Structure formats: C-alpha cells, structure tokens
Amino acid sequence: MYNAVSTLNGKVASGEVTIREGGLRGMITFRGDLSNAKLKSVCKTLTGFGVPEMGKATSNGDKGVAWMSPDELLILVPHAQTSDAIAAIEKAMKGQHHLAKNVSDARTHLTVQGSFAREVIAKLAPADLHPDHFQIGDFRRTRLGQVAAAFWMTDAETFEVICFRSVGEYAFDLLAASAKAGPVGHF
C-alpha cells in the first residue's frame, strides 16, 4: 500500500496574494458524449454539479467539474473518494462509450488568492483576464510561463490552478514570484 503525498506538502507563499499548494485532490479525466443523460447524471451525483458549458468550471470545496474539451470533463472529488467515484462512473456508464481515469497523482493543485490574484495569473498566461472577458466560473486550458496549466476563478479574488505534478514546484515558484513583484496595472 502506498501513502499518497502532495507535490509540495502544503507549501505556502504568503503575501497580499497568497500562493498555496492545495494538497491531495481527486481528479478524474472523464471522456464521453457530454449530452448523454447517464454522464450528466453521474456528474451531478458525484460533484453536485451538472456538466458545465464550454469554457466553464463549477466547484465548491473539494468537489467540482470543469469542461476540458467537447468530449472531456475533469471531475474533482476528495482524494480519498477517487476510486469510489471511478467505480460509480463505470457502473453508471456501463454499455456506454466512455473513459474514466484517475489522474490525481499526475497533477498538482494550487490556489492563488488575494487582492490582485487576477494580475498574478495575467502576467504569466496568454489569456485575456480582463473582468469583462474572464469571470467567476470561467475556465482556461493554457500555459503559465512555459508549462501547461488550467485555471478557473472561484470568487473575485481566488484562482484554482491545475498543472502536471512534474512542473508543480516550478509553477508554484513562478506564481510566487509574480505575486511578490506586485500588481502591474489595474483591470
């Protein structure tokens, strides 16, 4: 039996904007026909949320669902419930074309929270983060610096960031440096 450990063991960079490694989080890549009633139902059962619209994510605490592509979702559950969630997907989707894989140990979850969190992300990502174009619940798959990442806003001052575990420390340090540099301008 293995003991799961998070990428950075809860590392925190405090300041006006705090960067925090979010610890262990259950993450499931779930592919299939997003209009399928069974797929929609199991998403709602597991997370409390339906299938989000294109470019959206909904989350609350350890649970959530993010739109990744026209046939892919990222299901978020408490880490200890990941195996049970996959079993529930397999049962609900029996006979339906789908794929459900646990990617929890391959990903790092970071939180960026504070008065200029939007600017911290905007300095690193080639995405329009102006409040008119990126709002709470909006989701982007892009990059931070030179590494693949995805992020979404959970409230006016908080971003959730997911990246590959292999670049988790780099992403954390990049975000911390961006936060330490302070705000550049105002949105």
Side-chain angles (χ1 to χ4, degrees):
M1 176 171 230
Y2 85 104
N3 288 328
V5 293
S6 68
T7 308
L8 302 170
N9 295 312
K11 187 174 181 179
V12 176
S14 297
E16 262 186 274
V17 173
T18 298
I19 314 303
R20 177 175 282 110
E21 193 252 352
L24 296 173
R25 189 151 193 198
M27 295 182 228
I28 301 166
T29 292
F30 187 17
R31 297 191 83 137
D33 177 356
L34 301 187
S35 66
N36 181 297
K38 290 181 181 181
L39 184 145
K40 289 179 179 183
S41 177
V42 75
C43 283
K44 183 80 167 173
T45 299
L46 292 174
T47 68
F49 301 105
V51 172
E53 295 176 23
M54 180 174 74
K56 300 288 184 181
T58 52
S59 64
N60 187 10
D62 284 347
K63 292 187 174 186
V65 59
W67 184 94
M68 299 292 280
S69 74
D71 71 343
E72 181 182 359
L73 301 173
L74 179 66
I75 304 293
L76 305 169
V77 295
H79 191 267
Q81 296 174 13
T82 307
S83 294
D84 291 341
I86 289 177
I89 291 169
E90 295 300 331
K91 182 178 179 183
M93 297 298 293
K94 187 172 181 156
Q96 304 291 311
H97 179 72
H98 74 286
L99 172 92
K101 290 293 175 192
N102 181 353
V103 296
S104 307
D105 293 345
R107 305 285 189 268
T108 296
H109 168 241
L110 305 169
T111 302
V112 179
Q113 185 174 30
S115 59
F116 61 93
R118 181 184 299 270
E119 291 176 78
V120 168
I121 300 284
K123 287 188 266 181
L124 303 171
D128 185 352
L129 296 181
H130 188 279
D132 291 345
H133 302 280
F134 197 87
Q135 300 173 350
I136 296 167
D138 285 347
F139 179 86
R140 290 292 181 277
R141 287 176 76 171
T142 184
R143 60 184 169 84
L144 294 176
Q146 296 301 313
V147 300
F151 54 80
W152 68 100
M153 290 183 71
T154 57
D155 64 45
E157 294 190 350
T158 307
F159 281 77
E160 302 287 331
V161 178
I162 304 282
C163 65
F164 289 113
R165 182 182 185 103
S166 61
V167 296
E169 188 166 10
Y170 170 79
F172 180 94
D173 291 346
L174 192 63
L175 289 163
S178 180
K180 187 176 181 181
V184 175
H186 296 286
F187 281 108

